[in-house]
Every structure is written in C-alpha cells, then in structure tokens.
Amino acid sequence: MEKFEVLVTNVSFRNEDNGFTVLQIRLDNGTRTSAVGVMPAVAAGERAVLTGEWTEHAQYGRQIRATMCEPVKPTTVSAVERYLGSGLIKGIGPSTAKAIVEEFGAEALDVLQYDPERLTRVPGIGKKRAVQLAESFASQAQMRDAMVLLQSFDLSPAMAMKIFDKYKESTQEILRRSPYRLVEDIEGLGFRTADRIAAAQGMSPDD
C-alpha cells in the first residue's frame, strides 16, 4: 500500500448509506486522477492523505483504490472557507462560510469547536443558531475521527462504515471501553478482530 497526499478537486459521487465515494484529485506532483473507496465525507478544496494502490479500471482508466482516507485540517483562510461552505456542515453554506471567515479568519474552525458563542458576532447568527452550527460541526468531526480510528485497526472501509453507522457519536467511546461488544452488535465481526482492536488500545489479553 502507498500513501498519497492529495488535493480533492471534485466529489464525483458519494453514497451516504455506505460511504462509497469517487473523488477527482490532484497529487502533489501535479498528476490529476480519481480515487475510489469507502471513506469519510470530504469536500472539494480539501487536502487528504489516502492509503491505497493504483488500479486499472476498464472504463475509467488508471485510478487509486483507497483503503483509508485521512482528511487534513485546513489551515489557510481560503481552505477554511471552502471547507465550511462545502455543504458538509449542516446549516453552513457559502455565504455563511464567507461571513464566518471574514470575522475569524483561519481560526474559524477553532471557534466552532471550542468557543461557538463567539459566532454571534457574525451578522445573522444568534445564540440558538450558533449552538446548532457548533453541534453540526462536532458531528462531522466525530464521524471523520471515528472513521480514521476504525481504519487504523486494519478494518476494511466497509466494516468501519458499518461500525460507525451502528454507534454514531458513541463509536470512539465504545471502542475504547467495550471493544468486545462489537462481536454481538456487528454482523461479520468476530472475536479475533475485537481482540485485535482491544490489543491495539493497550488492553491485556486476559481483560
């Protein structure tokens, strides 16, 4: 497996039920291609690290089949605005994203995560809406973090998505506290896999 640092130029297709996604990407060397696989939601303009391999598709040609996708937190003002205005965060469209970034610049994501009350400084955002936007941002961040964590345990992208669909925002806590619960709750996941997840988090074999 190789690692590819990429810029997402377009999301051609995404199935929200199972996470299967087709991305148009640009590699750091300038090569433009596509990447396919089950992955967390990403938006055009974001950077990500893909783990996968080159494959040859009969219709679409050479592309990357990704087994893991780790979005890179945007740091520049333009990247933050593209991310916020991408539609991934419920309640924030392009105009609201522009207003938030005009007020907070590259720190906008930190404001959403750690100090959402400050959002009321943006025209059109009251206290209630500020809470809603912060909750939506947190939900999106939890999904991404959970998917990255799940795939770090050598789970297939499809299995990772199945686990997240079951536990949602509780995924990371359940993995940390009760990984053997997955054997009963997740069809197709056996004791050996749960054992591997437990061991990766430092649990003793006789826990």
Side-chain angles (χ1 to χ4, degrees), residues 133-172:
L133 296 182
E135 289 176 347
S136 179
F137 178 79
S139 177
Q140 177 68 17
Q142 287 169 349
M143 186 272 281
R144 289 183 173 209
D145 291 347
M147 286 293 290
V148 170
L149 176 63
L150 285 164
Q151 292 183 64
S152 74
F153 296 136
D154 233 3
L155 298 170
S156 71
M159 180 59 74
M161 197 70 193
K162 184 186 291 188
I163 294 170
F164 181 77
D165 281 344
K166 174 69 176 178
Y167 299 130
K168 299 297 184 184
E169 67 276 0
S170 300
T171 299
Q172 294 188 68

Side-chain angles (χ1 to χ4, degrees), residues 112-204:
L112 274 161
Q113 185 172 4
Y114 302 114
D115 198 7
E117 289 185 2
R118 292 172 61 194
L119 291 172
T120 57
R121 288 164 43 181
V122 178
I125 299 181
K127 289 184 178 181
K128 182 178 180 181
R129 189 179 180 200
V131 171
Q132 292 172 336
L133 296 182
E135 289 176 347
S136 179
F137 178 79
S139 177
Q140 177 68 17
Q142 287 169 349
M143 186 272 281
R144 289 183 173 209
D145 291 347
M147 286 293 290
V148 170
L149 176 63
L150 285 164
Q151 292 183 64
S152 74
F153 296 136
D154 233 3
L155 298 170
S156 71
M159 180 59 74
M161 197 70 193
K162 184 186 291 188
I163 294 170
F164 181 77
D165 281 344
K166 174 69 176 178
Y167 299 130
K168 299 297 184 184
E169 67 276 0
S170 300
T171 299
Q172 294 188 68
E173 182 179 358
I174 290 172
L175 289 171
R176 185 173 62 253
R177 294 180 178 274
S178 308
Y180 294 100
R181 178 175 163 184
L182 275 66
V183 178
E184 295 183 359
D185 292 348
I186 308 298
E187 183 179 355
L189 192 149
F191 183 83
R192 291 179 65 181
T193 301
D195 222 18
R196 187 173 73 244
I197 293 171
Q201 297 181 104
M203 289 187 178
S204 62

Side-chain angles (χ1 to χ4, degrees), residues 51-96:
T51 301
E53 58 187 5
W54 287 104
T55 60
E56 192 73 30
H57 190 280
Q59 182 176 354
Y60 300 110
R62 197 166 187 244
Q63 59 185 202
I64 296 171
R65 179 163 291 279
T67 59
M68 186 171 180
C69 172
E70 186 172 359
V72 176
K73 182 180 179 179
T75 55
T76 66
V77 170
S78 59
V80 169
E81 184 176 338
R82 282 197 302 269
Y83 171 60
L84 290 177
S86 66
L88 291 178
I89 302 170
K90 186 178 179 181
I92 301 182
S95 60
T96 302

